[in-house]
Amino acid sequence: MDLQALLDDLARESAPFAAQGRVADYIPALAAVDPSRFGIALATMDGQVLGSGVWRAPFSVQSVSKAFALALVLARDGEALWRRVGREPSGNPFNSLVQLEYEKGIPRNPFINAGALVLVDRLLSLTGDSVGALRAFLREESGNAAVDVDAEVATSEAAHGHRNAALAHFMASCGNLENPVEAVLDHYFRQCSLAMSCGDLARAGLFLANHGLRADGSRLLTRSEAKRINAVMLTCGTYDAAGDFAYRVGLPGKSGVGGGILAVLPERGVLCVWSPALDAHGNSVAGVEALDRFTTRTGWSVF
Amino acid sequence: MDLQALLDDLARESAPFAAQGRVADYIPALAAVDPSRFGIALATMDGQVLGSGVWRAPFSVQSVSKAFALALVLARDGEALWRRVGREPSGNPFNSLVQLEYEKGIPRNPFINAGALVLVDRLLSLTGDSVGALRAFLREESGNAAVDVDAEVATSEAAHGHRNAALAHFMASCGNLENPVEAVLDHYFRQCSLAMSCGDLARAGLFLANHGLRADGSRLLTRSEAKRINAVMLTCGTYDAAGDFAYRVGLPGKSGVGGGILAVLPERGVLCVWSPALDAHGNSVAGVEALDRFTTRTGWSVF
Amino acid sequence: MDLQALLDDLARESAPFAAQGRVADYIPALAAVDPSRFGIALATMDGQVLGSGVWRAPFSVQSVSKAFALALVLARDGEALWRRVGREPSGNPFNSLVQLEYEKGIPRNPFINAGALVLVDRLLSLTGDSVGALRAFLREESGNAAVDVDAEVATSEAAHGHRNAALAHFMASCGNLENPVEAVLDHYFRQCSLAMSCGDLARAGLFLANHGLRADGSRLLTRSEAKRINAVMLTCGTYDAAGDFAYRVGLPGKSGVGGGILAVLPERGVLCVWSPALDAHGNSVAGVEALDRFTTRTGWSVF
Amino acid sequence: MDLQALLDDLARESAPFAAQGRVADYIPALAAVDPSRFGIALATMDGQVLGSGVWRAPFSVQSVSKAFALALVLARDGEALWRRVGREPSGNPFNSLVQLEYEKGIPRNPFINAGALVLVDRLLSLTGDSVGALRAFLREESGNAAVDVDAEVATSEAAHGHRNAALAHFMASCGNLENPVEAVLDHYFRQCSLAMSCGDLARAGLFLANHGLRADGSRLLTRSEAKRINAVMLTCGTYDAAGDFAYRVGLPGKSGVGGGILAVLPERGVLCVWSPALDAHGNSVAGVEALDRFTTRTGWSVF
């Protein structure tokens, strides 16, 4: 299979679907992104990275970062993590307070905002610098020492972060935060504001396709833990459209409102696609389209 | 009718019901209150104030303050107030985020915590000092210039206020707060921490029985507005037990977790009862009992 | 006060408000009613009945019947009734399954459809003929032996009754029905299809203003029970707009989707108004308007 | 790998976990099943069927039948099916009315009871005999012409079917049923009461592992459709524990309250396990345990 030709085809065919979506506009820094940008990259197990479109351009990773935060916490805490956060699909929009109240402050999974705040809180306790630990990991795995927080985006997130503050205060009222609300929110907003390219993200995610082994051959996760993160991504990784994503794409994936989606091809590699225009569920329209076409043509879904 | 004898009877008969309840313990300052304290006072239209038990002892008014805050805002904003808060019973526990999210940041009524935060926010905009304006009003109406905030209680409220912070941040995210979250919370916690006696409160509430006329004869509210606050108190004034309170007592009433309840006898006067032990809904057990007995014996329910 | 002149004024002023509403159209038999019809009647304690508009024309009483069913069951079962149904406002639209599931099959109050089904079930157990017992009572109190079920409406209700069937089956699954679902539904649909005029209903409801005494002077309810039904009407009688109704009108009231509203003036009499066009909550637009004007002009609200 | 030895090991090791669960007792016919029964069977792509324990004993398939019903409807209706039922995880217990009301009568996925009723309704419209069409299919694929409905179980289901009747009536009220409620319920209860062994089910499900090809080589589903049913099974197949099942087992699976679980190994085969004692979510305790051990030892999860 000529993978480079395939990526080029997907970029050409999928990019126009962006016209059906809308760029996230809850903060000015995201609203200003050009909706016609499209990038796709594939990192394979043998270390190769192919790409098409603007696959080397950094964008705001937003919730894609949560997959990496989960890996870092699971690597340290193991199964104990699940006492503070569930791993069931939410069946509700991604920032819902309703479910959090119903579940008495235990977020339903680590990828809804409340759950991601718990990951940040825990990584902060474990490392003393949650976003710093994550950035160091991403730099090493991607091989790009320039990976960093976009300060303008982080400031903008904080200025529009009342809903996340509500989630954090509510969990604090339930006793499910270890650190001060303000510190957790600060690290969370900065984590979401990390800027990376499709190529960076695809490379950084390879440990998920490679049974938990990092780029340098050391082990981050057991084989079983890596598999389990993929399971959580498949069932919970794309907000309230996880069922639809599994149905159409059939791969573990994690999306962000910056328009990026990371998808894992177990034992083959990692795909990352970026197109800023989102559908009603907050997933990149052209990104999902490209992944759908990819698995249809290659047959490389997990099912 | 010998009202003094009646109040003495009610005090003697009702006080023991406190044994069926529990003192609020979410903050140490409230948890320390002696559960056997019981006071009841009746202020009548002709200026008389009768009482029994510890009716001159100040206690933490907590949510009873919300009835007065509603009056002050309605007097200034009139019907425009209802664009920012509803007036329907909540059908849910009093600090529920669920309903607030479902209603997109418009609290269901002014007496649930979220609605009271909107009142504080509005009174802050209107006066520049929400708790100050309320305190001045209560001092004048009660004739007690010593009415003030209990600073220890206010500090304790703020230290345990994550759930109210969650409500405030959520409303801010919906665009339903005019002032900074921190300022609104500060005034709210101090308002709840006002300390007043049964006698103070009964006197201060007389305008609600007197068609909106204040102690000095000036008009705070129109006849219709005074009637309408009573309606909101009857349908929404006792948390998720408003139906039960209407059924048993049959008077407009506003309760607080400090154990106080203010009840309005239209065109007759105002009753205030205090007993710190609460039922599962957050209302004073002995207080509701005393009011139930009062209306049964006098026939002075509104129905 | 010239009450006849007042009723005439209210009819003339309020009837045009029907243009702001919509006639119930879930069954053809109701959809066919002329929306311009308007009637209002006042029955006073001394036996007088005044009216204006088409106050002698029968209409479909629908949920207004629930106030009478509650009285008949409470008269027989007393407080034991409240083990099977609550008395709190619902905080949700009137046919909601959500709340019923949350409350494990115990309807929140006797006036939402689920609660009314429990009343029918209980009256069926107590009398062997629920709708028959209710009809006999209404004939006696109204003095109109022609009060009867409109068979066409009843058939139409049954044919469009899937949602009520869902409620009944759900309660049966929770063990909160004593009779077969089909029998309960049959009596319920026929009860809702009773046809009565404003004059009939006002006369029939007088026991609620008269401390529980029937037209013949015999006692149906204790003084306390009559008061308590009024309390339930005020807090729960007008679907999800009970707070608004209390705020504007300030009287215990029970509405129906046929466009009728029964309102109790304790110790004075009973008002009944009919205008078929409904607001978004299912209450008669012109009917609420007329009641609002009535209490504003007379000052006869309970507050 | 010696698969027969593996199955024997799993049977021996997993069967004791049944002690942690409880046999379904909502109908007497299920409550009477011996909780110590355990069977496991593996059908492979080359036509081989291995088993251990009581893998040839028929049991009540219950909701496992829904995977087959989905296949038959999807084969006929294609994507049009999704206008009447969603494909997102439910995030709520499997028979919830709450979500159905929130979604206005469109069940969230085809495996919750409401969604399965829609499948039955549609298959009834398409074939004139829903349960007959399904039985014929299962007989052909399993090669066992004795596969049939257990009439005693079906009668028992119908007698305790109020909750399913509530769901069906509610959907009828929303216009989402094509056939009479009674007919849909009758076919549904009989479908759930089909009795099959682990060996029967494993063989019958092979088309899901074999890209949609039936036992006789004919095509039931396109490659893409087969993949998509597996995706729906993984995200929605095990009630409110789909995330946990994906996490532990990592295979598409469909469980039933009879204690059976069908799991698909794409391109390899189908596993079926049976142990009647259920966990709190309604899934077989020993069954999930056996599948967890199977994928851990073989590495044959999809992730």
Side-chain angles (χ1 to χ4, degrees), chain C residues 92-166:
Chain C
N92 268 313
F94 58 99
N95 45 16
S96 174
L97 281 154
V98 170
Q99 205 156 38
L100 190 59
E101 184 169 22
Y102 189 75
E103 310 272 3
K104 301 188 185 346
I106 304 296
R108 202 157 161 88
N109 66 61
F111 292 155
I112 53 172
N113 287 12
L117 286 163
V118 167
L119 293 179
V120 167
D121 177 53
R122 189 64 193 135
L123 198 54
L124 189 52
S125 296
L126 289 163
T127 65
D129 179 4
S130 174
V131 73
L134 185 63
R135 184 177 50 192
F137 176 79
L138 292 169
R139 285 178 176 173
E140 287 176 39
E141 298 304 300
S142 69
N144 179 358
V147 166
D148 212 342
V149 170
D150 181 324
E152 187 198 349
V153 173
T155 303
S156 199
E157 294 281 356
H160 295 80
H162 281 301
R163 197 174 281 247
N164 285 307

Side-chain angles (χ1 to χ4, degrees), chain B residues 83-279:
Chain B
R83 287 199 288 266
R84 291 188 51 200
V85 60
R87 53 188 187 237
E88 292 302 326
S90 75
N92 268 312
F94 57 98
N95 46 15
S96 175
L97 282 156
V98 171
Q99 206 155 36
L100 189 59
E101 183 169 24
Y102 189 75
E103 310 271 4
K104 301 189 187 342
I106 305 296
R108 205 161 161 84
N109 67 60
F111 292 155
I112 53 174
N113 287 13
L117 286 164
V118 168
L119 293 179
V120 167
D121 176 54
R122 189 65 193 134
L123 199 54
L124 189 51
S125 297
L126 288 164
T127 66
D129 179 3
S130 175
V131 73
L134 186 64
R135 183 177 51 192
F137 176 80
L138 292 168
R139 285 178 176 174
E140 287 176 40
E141 298 305 300
S142 68
N144 179 357
V147 165
D148 212 342
V149 170
D150 181 324
E152 185 198 352
V153 173
T155 303
S156 199
E157 294 282 354
H160 295 79
H162 280 302
R163 199 175 281 247
N164 285 308
L167 293 167
H169 278 292
F170 184 76
M171 290 193 291
S173 79
C174 298
N176 199 17
L177 283 190
E178 298 170 350
N179 295 285
V181 165
E182 292 69 23
V184 173
L185 288 170
D186 172 54
H187 281 264
Y188 176 78
F189 291 137
R190 286 193 286 145
Q191 172 181 312
C192 289
S193 305
L194 284 160
M196 295 174 73
S197 70
C198 290
D200 293 336
L201 280 167
R203 234 188 243 104
L206 271 178
F207 69 97
L208 290 170
N210 198 18
H211 301 307
L213 293 181
R214 295 180 59 165
D216 63 5
S218 68
R219 180 166 293 284
L220 175 69
L221 301 167
T222 67
R223 189 183 179 99
S224 177
E225 286 167 346
K227 173 187 104 172
R228 289 175 174 198
I229 290 179
N230 289 337
V232 179
M233 289 173 72
L234 192 106
T235 51
C236 314
T238 41
Y239 309 124
D240 196 30
D244 190 65
F245 188 84
Y247 186 87
R248 289 181 61 191
V249 175
L251 293 176
K254 185 70 208 85
S255 58
V257 294
I261 309 177
L262 182 84
V264 180
L265 304 157
E267 299 182 2
R268 296 187 196 268
V270 173
L271 260 174
C272 183
V273 62
W274 174 50
S275 165
L278 310 178
D279 63 24

Side-chain angles (χ1 to χ4, degrees), chain A residues 79 82 87-89 91 99 108 227-228 230-232 234-235 240-244 246-248 252 266 295 301-303, chain D residues 79 82 87-89 91 99 108 227-228 230-232 234-235 240-244 246-248 252 266 295 301-303:
Chain A
E79 298 292 307
W82 306 114
R87 53 187 185 238
E88 292 301 327
Q99 205 156 36
R108 206 159 160 84
K227 173 185 103 172
R228 289 173 175 200
N230 289 337
V232 179
L234 192 105
T235 51
D240 195 30
D244 188 65
Y247 186 86
R248 288 181 62 192
T295 52
S301 97
V302 301
F303 299 114
Chain D
E79 297 292 307
W82 306 114
R87 53 187 186 237
E88 292 301 326
Q99 206 156 36
R108 206 160 158 82
K227 172 187 104 171
R228 289 174 174 200
N230 288 338
V232 178
L234 192 107
T235 51
D240 196 29
D244 189 65
Y247 186 87
R248 289 182 59 192
T295 52
S301 97
V302 300
F303 299 115

Side-chain angles (χ1 to χ4, degrees), chain D:
Chain D
M1 200 177 316
D2 182 344
L3 290 169
Q4 181 61 52
L6 174 60
L7 296 184
D8 290 340
D9 286 353
L10 295 181
R12 194 182 58 249
E13 295 164 14
S14 307
F17 282 81
Q20 299 174 14
R22 267 167 46 98
V23 173
D25 57 3
Y26 71 99
I27 57 170
L30 289 182
V33 175
D34 174 0
S36 72
R37 307 271 281 175
F38 183 96
I40 186 167
L42 171 66
T44 56
M45 302 297 286
D46 58 6
Q48 207 185 349
V49 183
L50 306 171
S52 190
V54 294
W55 66 281
R56 290 190 183 88
F59 61 89
S60 192
V61 302
Q62 296 292 327
S63 296
V64 180
S65 65
K66 296 172 183 173
F68 297 98
L70 173 58
L72 295 195
V73 175
L74 190 64
R76 285 161 172 84
D77 274 354
E79 297 292 307
L81 163 64
W82 306 114
R83 286 199 289 267
R84 291 188 53 201
V85 61
R87 53 187 186 237
E88 292 301 326
S90 73
N92 268 311
F94 57 98
N95 46 15
S96 173
L97 281 154
V98 171
Q99 206 156 36
L100 190 58
E101 185 169 23
Y102 189 76
E103 309 271 2
K104 302 189 184 350
I106 305 295
R108 206 160 158 82
N109 66 60
F111 293 154
I112 54 174
N113 286 13
L117 286 163
V118 168
L119 293 180
V120 167
D121 177 54
R122 189 63 194 137
L123 198 54
L124 190 51
S125 296
L126 289 164
T127 65
D129 179 4
S130 176
V131 72
L134 186 63
R135 182 176 52 193
F137 176 79
L138 293 168
R139 285 178 176 174
E140 287 175 40
E141 298 305 299
S142 69
N144 178 359
V147 166
D148 212 343
V149 170
D150 181 323
E152 186 199 351
V153 173
T155 302
S156 198
E157 295 281 355
H160 295 78
H162 280 302
R163 199 174 279 247
N164 285 307
L167 293 168
H169 277 291
F170 184 77
M171 289 193 290
S173 80
C174 298
N176 199 16
L177 283 189
E178 299 170 349
N179 296 283
V181 165
E182 293 70 22
V184 173
L185 288 170
D186 172 54
H187 280 265
Y188 176 77
F189 291 137
R190 287 193 286 144
Q191 171 182 314
C192 289
S193 306
L194 284 160
M196 295 174 72
S197 70
C198 290
D200 293 337
L201 279 167
R203 232 188 244 106
L206 271 179
F207 69 96
L208 289 170
N210 197 17
H211 301 308
L213 294 181
R214 296 182 56 167
D216 64 4
S218 68
R219 180 166 292 285
L220 175 67
L221 301 167
T222 66
R223 187 182 181 100
S224 175
E225 286 167 345
K227 172 187 104 171
R228 289 174 174 200
I229 290 179
N230 288 338
V232 178
M233 290 173 71
L234 192 107
T235 51
C236 314
T238 42
Y239 309 125
D240 196 29
D244 189 65
F245 189 84
Y247 186 87
R248 289 182 59 192
V249 175
L251 293 176
K254 184 72 208 81
S255 59
V257 293
I261 308 176
L262 182 83
V264 179
L265 305 157
E267 299 183 1
R268 296 186 195 269
V270 172
L271 260 174
C272 184
V273 61
W274 174 50
S275 164
L278 309 178
D279 62 25
H281 291 108
N283 298 311
S284 169
V285 181
V288 174
E289 183 66 28
L291 293 172
D292 184 355
R293 289 168 183 256
F294 181 90
T295 52
T296 300
R297 297 208 196 154
T298 59
W300 292 354
S301 97
V302 300
F303 299 115

Side-chain angles (χ1 to χ4, degrees), chain A residues 18 22-24 30 33-38 257-260 274-278 284:
Chain A
R22 267 165 47 96
V23 173
L30 289 181
V33 175
D34 175 359
S36 71
R37 309 270 280 173
F38 184 96
V257 294
W274 174 50
S275 163
L278 310 178
S284 169

Side-chain angles (χ1 to χ4, degrees), chain A residues 58-61 144 146-150 191-197 200:
Chain A
F59 61 90
S60 191
V61 303
N144 178 359
V147 166
D148 212 340
V149 171
D150 180 323
Q191 171 181 315
C192 289
S193 305
L194 283 161
M196 295 174 74
S197 69
D200 293 337

Side-chain angles (χ1 to χ4, degrees), chain A residues 77-84:
Chain A
D77 274 354
E79 298 292 307
L81 163 65
W82 306 114
R83 286 199 288 267
R84 291 189 51 201

Side-chain angles (χ1 to χ4, degrees), chain A residues 44-56:
Chain A
T44 57
M45 304 295 286
D46 56 8
Q48 206 185 350
V49 184
L50 306 172
S52 192
V54 295
W55 67 281
R56 289 189 183 89

